[in-house]
Each structure stands twice: as C-alpha cells, then as structure tokens.
Amino acid sequence: MSEFRLRINFQKLGACRYLSHLDLARAMERCVRRAALPYAVSQGFSAHMKHSFSAALPVGTGSLDEYMDVELARYVPRTAVLLALREAAAPGLPVLDAVYVDHKQPALAVSHIQASYEVLLYDPAGVQTTALMQRLERAVDVEVVKKGKPKSYKLDEYVYRNRTRLLKTDSAGLTHLALVLRLTPNGSLRPEVLLKALALPDLDMEIREVTRVSLTIDDSNDVSNNTSTSVAGSKGHRNIDGSGGRSNAARRKGRDNCCRSNDSKKDSI
Amino acid sequence: MTARNKDSLRSKLSRLLDQVEKPARYTGGELFSDLSSNTADELLDVALVYPDIYDIGGSNQALVILYDICLRTAGVHVERAYLPWIDMIALMRHNDLPLCTLENTRPLASFDLIGITLPHELAATNILELIDLAGIALSGSERGEDDPLIIGGGPTAFNPEPFADVFDALCIGDGEELFAEVLGVLLQLKQAGRSRAEKLEALAALEGVSICAFRPDAPCELPPQRVRKRVLSDFAHYPAVTRPIVPFIETAQDRLCVEILRGCARGCRFCAAGMLYRPVRERSAQAVVRAVTDGLAATGLNEASLISLSSTDHSQIAPIIRRLNRRYDTTDIKISLPSQRLDAFGSTMAQVACGTQRKGSLTFAPEAGSQRLRNVINKNIDTDDIIQAITTACAAGWRHYKLYFMVGLPTETDTDIIQIVELANLVYDTAVSAVPPGERGQIRVALSCAVFVPKAHTPFQWCGQLGLAEVQRRLRLLRHSGLHKSIKLQWQDPEISQIEAVISRGDRTIGPLIRRAWELGARFDAWSEQFSMTAWRTAAADLGLSLDELAGREYALDATLPWDFVDSGLDKGFLAEEYQRSLTGQVTNDCTRGACVSCGVCAQLDTNVSLAASRSDTSISTGGSSTQIGLDLKPVDCVERATCV
C-alpha cells in the first residue's frame, strides 16, 4: 500500500510549553483526526495512527518550529490539507505548514538536528550573563548528572559555539540569549541543563523561559567547523521540510499570524 | 480587578510552574475552553469548581454539562478551577496567591457564583481547602455582600446536613434545568442590584434548591422547607454535549463520554446512585450514534465511552454498538462500555469490550460471597452464572479479572466471608480451565474488598457501619481462609471507609468535625497516601465525638433522619419495606423489565420511566447464554464505579 508522508510544521506556544512530549503527541494526533485527514492506521490488534515527531521537548520548553510526520493513506492536495489542519489546530499549537516529503528522507528521530533556542535569563545587572558567555566560549566539557550518574559532555560535539549570541536585554530585565545545540540520535544537551552546569558553582542564574526557535537537519557531522551565520541555505544544512532556508525572524512572525511568506529566506536574524 | 493586577497574578503563578509536578494541570488553554474575557453584556460571572486535582476533575461529566449550559446562556461568563495538588498549594500559600480560574487567571473571590460539584463524601475537606485557598470565608454566615454565592450539587448533596455551614445553597437532583434556572434568577437579581439575602430567597423558591441558612433547625424566620429532587423532564431529547473541553493532559476519563441512559432500576439495596438517579431514562439509538459521531469529529478523541450506571441495560445497546462498530471499523477509534452487566453478556459484548481493552482487566462486582447475602443486597446471581460469564469472557480473549466484594454488609457472618474466598477461587479455577493450556500462566485474578458504607436514601440507611476492630477481624479471616496463592488480595483502607460513613449519614454536627479535621491538616482524604486518620481522630476527640459511634449509628425505622427533608421521590415506606425484605433474603425485581415496584419516584415527582424500546424483547444475547446473570463487567479504568453499580 502506498502511503504519503506528510510533514506538519507546528508550534508549541504560551502555556502549551508545559505539555509533556506525550501530551503534545496526543494533542497533535487529535488535531489530525479533527482535520479528517485520511491518515494511515497501523495493522495489528491495537490500531493507531502512524506518525513520528521531531526531538522531544522537555516540559516547560516552548517551540516555534516543531515537526510531526503523518502517513496518509491517500493523496490530498497540500492546500486542502493545510487549510484543514489550521482550522483544526488547538489553541497554543498552531499549524504553520504541511508538505509532502519523500520516504527516502531520514526519519525525524534519527537525523542529526541543529536546534536553535532562545533562553530568557533573569539577570538585571548583566554580570552573571557576561561570565556565563565566557564559560560558553571557553569550557571544554561540562559534567551533568543524569539518573544519578555524572556524565561528561564535550561542548564541541554539542554546541555550535560561534552561533551563541546575546540578543538583547528587555525592559523587564530579562536577557535574551540565542543558543544553538546539536541533537543526535545518541544524545543531546538541553539548553537549561547546559547553562545550569556552566553556572556551577558560583553563578546564580535564573532561567525564566526556554523556547526552541528552529530545527534544521545537519548532515555536516561537524559542529566546530560550522561558521555559518545564517541557517538559511548554508552548506550541509537544510530545513526539515526540505524547502530551503527560513529564518528565525520569519518564524517569530509566524507566531503572531500562524503563517509565513514563501520568500522568508531573505530575512536574517 | 484591573488588567495590571490580573497580569501580575498570572505571572506570579506562572513563576511557580517550574517548581511543581505536572504544571499543565494549571495552565488551561484547552480546545473548547472559553478563553474570552467577560464582555460588557456578560453580567454574571460563574466559576465551576471540582474539589480535586485537574487530573481527576478535568473530565468530570457534571462540569462538562454545566459549563456547556453556561456557554449557551446569554449574559453568563464561565470559567473553571480545580484544587491544586499539595505542592502547588504550599507554594501558593507561601507566596500568598489565591486560587484562580484556568481560563483567565481570575481569583475565585471575584466571581458572582461559585458552583462546586460534590462527587463523593471524601471531597469534604477538599472543599474547605479550596474555599480557603480562594480567600473566601468558610462559613456561609460569614460571607458578605461582595463575596460569591457558593452553590453545590451532585450525589453527595442528597444529604446536605454535613455541608450546611459551607454552602449558601445546594441543588438536589438533575442539574440541567435547575442550574439554568439558578443562572436566570441570579442574572435578573444582579441586574436589579438585589442583596445577597434577596438572591438566596429567590433561589429558595426554585424547586430543588436547598438554602442552607433556611433549614429546619436553622435560626431563621422562614418556615422549614422540604426540598424536592429535580428530574430532567426529557432526558431523551436533551442534547448531549458534543464539544466538551478536550484536556491536554490525561484525565480520569480520557475519552468522549456519551451518557446513553440515566438511572438504574436493578435495585441493589446498598447503592445510592441506583436509588437517587431514578427513574430510568434512555436516549434513542439515533441520538446516541449522532452524539458519538459528532463528538468524535469535533474533539478528535480516539475513544468514545457509552456511559451510564448500567450501559448494557440500554434497550437498544445492540444496534448502537453495531452501527458504531460499522462506522469506526477500519479506524483507530474505539468504542467502549464502562459498565456492563453479565446478564446481557453475549459474544457481541465480549467483542466490544475486547476491541478496546483486551490488555486491561475485566471487573466483576458480585459484592457478596454467598447466595444468601447476594439476595440480601438484591444482587441475585448463582455460581453457575459466574462460571458461564468467566467462560464467555475467557473465550473472547480476556485473561485478567478483578473481583469486587464488600465486607460488613448487613447480616454478614463468617460463613459469608469464607464464601468470598471460595467464589474467588472458583473464578480462578474456571478461568484457568477455560483457556488453552499454554495460556494458563496469563490468568490473573485480583480480589478487592471494600468496607460497606451505608448511604442516605437507600434501604440500608438505617444500618450502622461495622466497627473498625470487627472489620479488621473479618479481613484477617478473609486472608486466612485458603485464598489461592495466585490471587492478589487488596482492600480499601477501612479507616477511609469509616470517614465516608461518618459523612454519608451525618447530621449537622458533622460540619464542625469536617472543619476541625481540615484545620488539623486533613485533605485529599480519597487519596490513601494523603489520608490522615490521626487528624480525624483528633478532630473527633476535640469535639467530644466518637468516629466509631457516628459511623456505626443505627436508626430506628420510625426515627426522623437528618436527610428526611430531602425528597428524593423514594417513598420512605418503600425503603423500609426493602430493608425488611432484605433481612429475609427476598429479592425485588427491576421495574424496567417487570412490574412497577412502587418505589414512589414516578408518582411523587410526576415523571416516568422512559425507554427507547422495550427491554424485555430486545435481548442482545447472540446465541450464547441468555440466562440472567447479575454480574457487572467493566474495563479497569472505571473501577471506581464497580462498588456502586
């Protein structure tokens, strides 16, 4: 039976950032059912929708760029699919786009992914942030306790250091930090885990909010060598939906109107 | 409340979310919740509250129905709140933050009306906790003009006395029409700028509303008032909610619930729901199928549950299931029946139940071990029926069984206890011999016992509960009567059941007891790991009361009962006769399948049993057993009902 893989691009906004990955998956499944798409159902005794998701977000982390793959049993024109999904979307989980992708494309879960985050730190004096930025630049590895066992992470394998940016300090005294991390099928570092580990033992960082801003597939297999300043179109990178580049600014715009222009690649951070 | 205050309250509360377990309990924003702020033409602000955490109350049907009514009532703005879990409560109290609604983070105290459902007696201390957390006076008499009216309803409201001090008013019976009338009255009086006392007086004029301050022994100038239960006059045509709020996190009922019938006339003598939800009324097959298909399309849920006190009793259950199965056959959508009776259990039912939950377990509630005692409680089955039921279920693929029994039923002897063990062993042996030899290892039988809690408005309302020491002795006897070693035995904490009994037949002295226990830290009493008997014992001692005496109190048949002023429609003579018949083991028939049993409800409340078709000639047995087996069968996630169906 031939199936059509639909890649849905959606967001996890506002209070929805407190949903667990399981809650999110169930909510998106329901969205697909409400949209009445002809989704494929697994064979076997306990039938379920055939789908997969991009790397799980922790409870508390929002996202402007999430993906869900759903297998459709028959082809429905993309415009009709998109219209139905947008209408069916739950508040807080708007659907931005939906495209058909080739089955030869790597599955969402097994790809190396470049994930950009925006982290909001409460640091009115700015002193802590400066120190933290220095550590982000210089540290060789961090030790993180996972399930009671200390585990060491080499920063060069997990952090695109030269893409770390201080974006701004807003009127509420929150420092906005851009952080780009590499998610691999074998492991990854969460931004808040990384920052808390770097802050030890003397910095007192209060992380107010973490948002995943974008996800791109990274086949370059090389974090340290990556000097690209733009996600869009850079060598070895492509957007998960295969459509070419799209910037974070366009995505933020997407947060407001739940849609985006096709020539968004002109925008830059 | 200014916009700025609201925002700061919201941001203060959201700052706590990173420190609590399951923060999504507190964030709302679900599909079909009304996220709008109240507009200029919405005059009456209503907050609907469930007295336990969101995980339990988020799918509560009472709130689903009442929320829907509010949305459909012009001039009413509605929001919801749930009691936070202990971690969040501690943080809120530490930071001096009040209980707020999910929709717009508004303090409960800023609403005109707070509606709290009373799902069971053990929610009593949670109700105090949530009112206090909202910063509202715990006693109705201490509330002022600017405070919300606090109105309760639900099955536990049928004995209002223990709650008299807390609630301003209680609604008795079906809420659909009554709550709409309450809203109408309050809208009108708020518009007219009337006082709190005038509002209560107007509510007192509605049939089904009990105003706590106006009650027989309350110091009040108004005459004592009898309160008559409300019955939804046309349940069959009352629209089912097809756009219920769809919670993001998993709740007690993580599925679309469609109430296919209301009431149960089987007449189990211990069962309050069976007595209080009379008469039996059914929705038509067409209405049920439409509610399911519309509801699933709107919500995107992957399961619809056909709920009621006894779903296989529906006269058209077979065509309903046939049509729904045909409709969802090749999809990932399941149809389930939460409570079935094995007398209607043929291969069709077995497949339906299996289609959804074969990996789960079936719960049977024989309630009593011996034939004699099953006759006493009017649950008439014999061992042959049980063997047949287990054999059918095994053939359909079920491997795990749960058996529910009660200990301490009226007239129970040690022989009855021993026969519980014998029956459980028989179920195990039957199941093992009914499956292929290679699958025998998969058979699991769990035996669950609860202490009998006598309830108001039942034939056992005059009976006391067994004392704790004797309960413990009988449970020991149960443990040592040769239960097969593969059968897992568990029992509900008898101390929790004692508190349930104290409240269920309590009079006005119980209100201060609940208050004192809450002051001493009692809350979440239905959660066994949170329950504190020490708090309740100390509270009773402080007030010079004895829990054993309160729970064990026996009333003479001609005594005035604390809940006598609530007219449930049941004739007190009928209940007394049922009690006397129970003592001699005489069973009483189900009026939907035989003659009227003169319970009084139809005559007293000017209503009628309303079936979609005749029950007797639409047997759903499909070539299998058509014997009458009085067992209940239900998937494991609905076991909370097992003891009362």
Side-chain angles (χ1 to χ4, degrees), chain A residues 130-148:
Chain A
T130 310
L132 188 71
M133 291 299 283
Q134 281 171 358
R135 289 180 197 182
L136 256 177
E137 201 173 304
R138 290 175 197 158
V140 177
D141 44 32
V142 289
E143 197 159 274
V144 173
V145 179
K146 264 193 173 175
K147 290 175 187 163

Side-chain angles (χ1 to χ4, degrees), chain A residues 15-16 18-19 22-23 26-27 29-30 33-34 39 41 45-49 59-60 88-91 93 206-208, chain B residues 14-15 17-18 23-24 27 29-31 35 246-250 254 297-302 330-333 354 358:
Chain A
C16 277
Y18 290 105
L19 299 184
L22 193 66
D23 295 333
R26 286 161 5 112
E29 261 185 40
R30 290 167 184 172
R33 282 195 212 96
R34 286 193 296 272
Y39 58 88
V41 170
F45 186 71
S46 167
H48 59 268
M49 186 185 293
V59 172
L93 301 174
E206 192 186 331
I207 299 171
R208 281 287 175 84
Chain B
S14 69
R15 293 270 296 286
L17 293 177
D18 289 326
T27 49
E30 313 95 321
L31 184 73
L35 298 174
V246 185
F248 283 119
I249 68 169
E250 213 170 310
D254 199 27
T299 59
L301 292 164
N302 65 341
T330 56
T331 71
D332 60 338
I333 290 169
C354 285
R358 191 178 282 172

Side-chain angles (χ1 to χ4, degrees), chain B residues 156-202:
Chain B
T156 303
F158 276 87
N159 178 16
E161 287 301 87
F163 303 94
D165 191 44
V166 178
F167 286 92
D168 296 304
L170 287 164
C171 294
I172 312 293
D174 294 338
E176 283 89 347
E177 290 166 338
L178 178 54
F179 192 61
E181 289 167 20
V182 167
L183 294 175
V185 164
L186 292 180
L187 257 175
Q188 204 182 2
L189 295 193
K190 192 189 178 191
Q191 216 161 0
R194 295 302 175 83
S195 73
R196 189 179 181 86
E198 287 169 314
K199 287 173 188 166
L200 288 174
E201 206 169 315

